[in-house]
Amino acid sequence: MATDGEGFIVGGVRLPRPFRIRRLGHFGLDLDDPEAGRVFYERLLGFRVSDPLDWDARLPPAERGRHGPGRGYFMRHGTDHHSFVLFPRRVRRALFARPGAGEEVTVNQVTWQVGSLKEVVDGHRWLAEKSIPIVRSGRDTPGSNWHVYPLDPTGHANELYYGIEQVGWDGLSKPEAMHEEHFDEPPALPRVSEYAEVEARRSAGIDAGAGWRQHEPDPEIYEVGGVLLARPFKVVKIGPVRLFVPDIEAALAFYRDLLGLMVTEEIDWHGHRCVFLRANTEHHSLALYPLALRGELGLSPRTTLFSFGVELGGYDQLRAAVPYLRDAGVGIRRLPPELFPGIDYSAFARDPDGHLVQLYYTMEQVGWDGRPRPAAERPAVDNDHWPETVAARSDTFLGEALLGPWN
């Protein structure tokens, strides 16, 4: 790790840690019934399966088939190989033990993208020196992303990763025969490029067109922004992640002080301290709530996840998504907007395991001075009466944009 006595040198810049998180890259849940979850996240929300994964096959032969459905799914909303992963909870419980993680930790990963492979390698060393519990490191496939997995104090697995396989116009993931050998530790640097890896396998006669391709399971009958889609909205961004934690200060010591996320805002809601942290210019990509708030809101006691957010392509799509999902039998809730500064109108859809997915259409952006919009200048939200249209603000639709076509 390069240092100059005052900090770490990251891309020629002095920083207090040997990496800088750029964005929330992907997120994952463990479900009791991943097949029902696949219907919800794929057919109803529109994520596409980029690769399946047989977790049951990783169990000892005598254990296989004894822990319920064993298939998991890597899913995407854009060109990243996966932005959401759905894994079988009972099988993974039989395979792995996480220090400090109780039965209610159903989040299998909160994944943060850094800027280079060197940041992953140096970050792993730095975290290990600080005695932070690390689940694993190296490189996994599918996805081909180099990573390190530190645990937060509640047992939520966080991932720092560099790069991820991209799925192009043909919709094909990298074929299994082209996967790089498995790595269980950071690589020696420098490492050959992804291009060189792929070329070596092509030269060895591996068919680059033999990967998984997800077909749209439903007819494309909805006109959405001039494009025919199978549902009346398009997920264009993931996050924020909202977590219930037993100790806000311990969680802040991990996410703010260790990982380097920036606190945008804190609120007091009915005596509960809630903290909102950002990775980039979004108001928040992570929100921390005290565990005691979970019961007051009537949320599932089976998970520490408050909600996982998905941004839709517009306010009109948000308004269309609510009746579409309700007509499909999905439970919908509207929660106090004061709990979500930086987001105005939103609704929460309940997945088959009881997790909430927050649907929204825009998020407040924070500029160079690091200051959020004053609360008095935010629009008032009447959850019982959503208007047909809303006024534009200076940062409406700004922030991370979806690259590529909607379908």
Side-chain angles (χ1 to χ4, degrees), residues 206 237 285 341 344:
I206 294 175
K237 184 178 179 292
S285 46
D344 50 21

Side-chain angles (χ1 to χ4, degrees), residues 290-349:
L291 195 58
L293 181 58
R294 183 176 62 183
E296 290 190 26
L297 294 173
L299 302 185
S300 172
R302 298 182 65 243
T303 180
T304 53
L305 179 70
F306 185 145
S307 68
F308 163 59
V310 293
E311 183 178 320
L312 308 184
Y315 177 66
D316 56 347
Q317 294 182 36
L318 173 62
R319 293 183 71 238
V322 171
Y324 169 83
L325 293 171
R326 187 180 286 127
D327 289 348
V330 175
I332 299 291
R333 289 196 64 180
R334 296 184 185 180
L335 294 169
E338 295 82 10
L339 287 169
F340 320 111
I343 293 177
D344 50 21
Y345 293 93
S346 72
F348 294 80

Side-chain angles (χ1 to χ4, degrees), residues 24 45 71 86 116 136 205 267 281 283 324 361 377 384 391:
L24 177 72
L45 291 188
R71 211 173 205 208
L86 185 60
S116 68
R136 66 182 188 276
I267 65 168
T281 61
H283 179 281
Y324 169 83
Y361 77 98
E377 296 182 17
D384 294 323

Side-chain angles (χ1 to χ4, degrees), residues 14-33:
R14 291 189 298 275
L15 294 179
R17 54 192 59 80
F19 56 83
R20 176 64 183 265
I21 289 173
R22 308 311 206 260
R23 64 164 184 153
L24 177 72
H26 45 275
F27 175 77
L29 285 172
D30 290 337
L31 299 190
D32 283 334
D33 189 347

Side-chain angles (χ1 to χ4, degrees), residues 189-254:
L189 300 182
R191 172 72 189 173
V192 299
S193 69
E194 179 87 357
Y195 174 83
E197 291 177 351
V198 171
E199 279 302 295
R201 281 152 184 77
R202 284 167 55 94
S203 299
I206 294 175
D207 180 8
W212 176 278
R213 186 177 195 276
Q214 175 64 36
H215 296 279
E216 174 58 63
D218 294 312
E220 295 181 332
I221 59 174
Y222 297 95
E223 189 271 325
V224 184
V227 179
L228 286 175
L229 299 179
R231 50 204 61 80
F233 57 87
K234 168 64 182 177
V235 173
V236 297
K237 184 178 179 292
I238 64 159
V241 173
R242 307 187 186 281
L243 297 176
F244 289 118
V245 296
D247 186 333
I248 291 286
E249 278 302 325
L252 279 174
F254 179 84

